[in-house]
Amino acid sequence: MEAVISDSSSWVIKKIFNLREHIPNLKPVLDHMIQKRTFSMKRMYDKMVDSDKVPWRHLLKGNCARPRASIITWMACYGRLGTKDRLIRFGLIIEHECSVCKEVDETLDHLLFDCRFAKDVWKHVLLWLGITHEPQPWSIEIGWIMHMIAKKGRRYKILKVAVAETVYGIWQYRNEVIFGKYTHRNTSIDIGERIIEKVMYRGWYSTKLRKHVVTLML
């Protein structure tokens, strides 16, 4: 007998039932752990992540960025950030211009990283890493990012952290502008330096990245 998901079911129930498709992939791992009389949530989670063949999965896997930064980046990858174009579709707002540059409509592609301000922030972070690159809208940029983090070397492992922290940093600044947290507008360099500090902090506490973070601090 197979349970049917009702349209009136809560989103939590729907998510739980949708995990059924992962069961065949999880069974060999679960059987092995039962045989060894051990259970590892990490192994189960990693197997579930591996079964989700989204092209950007390696950006978040093993990323030592702050959890909040990883969550916002995950939402950006799924196109679920509450940019103004989405809020307008939901009938929540009517204002459509970018909260940061005030020049064009605010969409995910524009905010990351086609917006003039956000583009300068991202370029500042990349130059700190020794990478020269002209940022593109998010739907294109994510492809370039995945190509870069596939390379070997600590610099590209730090790039994973920098991507997540930059996405979060720009999103955080966008919200700060909307809600008037600052009495003055920060420059792109100010925001870029704030992001770099977070990347260095997270990288310093990673034994695999600390050595390269030191070289970037010189």
Side-chain angles (χ1 to χ4, degrees):
M1 181 176 178
E2 183 174 329
V4 178
I5 306 174
S6 171
D7 291 338
S8 61
S9 299
S10 69
W11 69 269
V12 176
I13 296 297
K14 290 178 180 178
K15 287 291 185 182
I16 292 173
F17 272 81
N18 285 336
L19 289 175
R20 290 178 297 184
E21 63 188 59
H22 295 296
I23 292 176
N25 297 322
L26 298 175
K27 191 175 186 304
V29 178
L30 187 58
D31 289 343
H32 178 75
M33 288 191 288
I34 291 174
Q35 183 180 1
K36 296 293 184 179
R37 296 181 180 275
T38 60
F39 181 81
S40 170
M41 182 60 75
K42 181 179 184 301
R43 288 189 63 192
M44 295 291 287
Y45 173 78
D46 288 344
K47 186 65 178 177
M48 290 180 67
V49 171
D50 286 339
S51 65
D52 189 7
K53 298 300 183 182
V54 290
W56 42 262
R57 64 190 184 280
H58 296 298
L59 171 60
L60 298 176
K61 189 175 181 181
N63 194 324
C64 65
R66 289 174 293 172
R68 68 184 69 176
S70 294
I71 290 172
I72 293 299
T73 304
W74 177 83
M75 292 178 68
C77 290
Y78 263 119
R80 294 294 186 267
L81 281 182
T83 47
K84 286 185 176 178
D85 62 323
R86 296 194 77 227
L87 298 179
I88 288 173
R89 290 202 303 271
F90 295 147
L92 299 177
I93 62 172
I94 57 173
E95 181 185 331
H96 55 80
E97 67 179 11
C98 174
S99 307
V100 178
C101 70
K102 309 291 185 183
E103 294 175 355
V104 299
D105 290 356
E106 183 180 286
T107 65
L108 180 62
D109 263 4
H110 171 72
L111 189 63
L112 305 172
F113 297 100
D114 202 35
C115 171
R116 174 172 48 84
F117 184 91
K119 182 179 292 187
D120 288 344
V121 171
W122 184 217
K123 287 171 70 173
H124 185 77
V125 175
L126 289 175
L127 285 174
W128 171 70
L129 287 169
I131 300 172
T132 302
H133 170 69
E134 185 64 26
Q136 301 295 318
W138 180 249
S139 56
I140 301 173
E141 193 73 358
I142 189 64
W144 176 83
I145 290 169
M146 295 311 303
H147 171 73
M148 294 298 288
I149 66 173
K151 296 183 178 181
K152 294 182 178 180
R154 293 187 180 91
R155 173 182 298 179
Y156 303 106
K157 293 186 182 300
I158 292 180
L159 177 61
K160 289 175 62 171
V161 185
V163 170
E165 291 292 346
T166 302
V167 169
Y168 177 70
I170 291 172
W171 182 250
Q172 182 183 37
Y173 178 68
R174 177 255 190 197
N175 292 335
E176 289 168 348
V177 171
I178 290 175
F179 297 108
K181 183 173 180 181
Y182 288 119
T183 56
H184 65 282
R185 290 182 66 84
N186 294 64
T187 67
S188 58
I189 294 177
D190 293 332
I191 303 304
E193 287 298 316
R194 187 168 77 176
I195 291 168
I196 289 170
E197 287 180 6
K198 296 299 183 182
V199 176
M200 287 194 297
Y201 178 82
R202 300 299 294 187
W204 178 260
Y205 283 96
S206 168
T207 55
K208 294 180 180 180
L209 299 181
R210 183 179 299 171
K211 187 174 182 180
H212 191 65
V213 168
V214 170
T215 64
L216 291 171
M217 293 171 65
L218 298 178

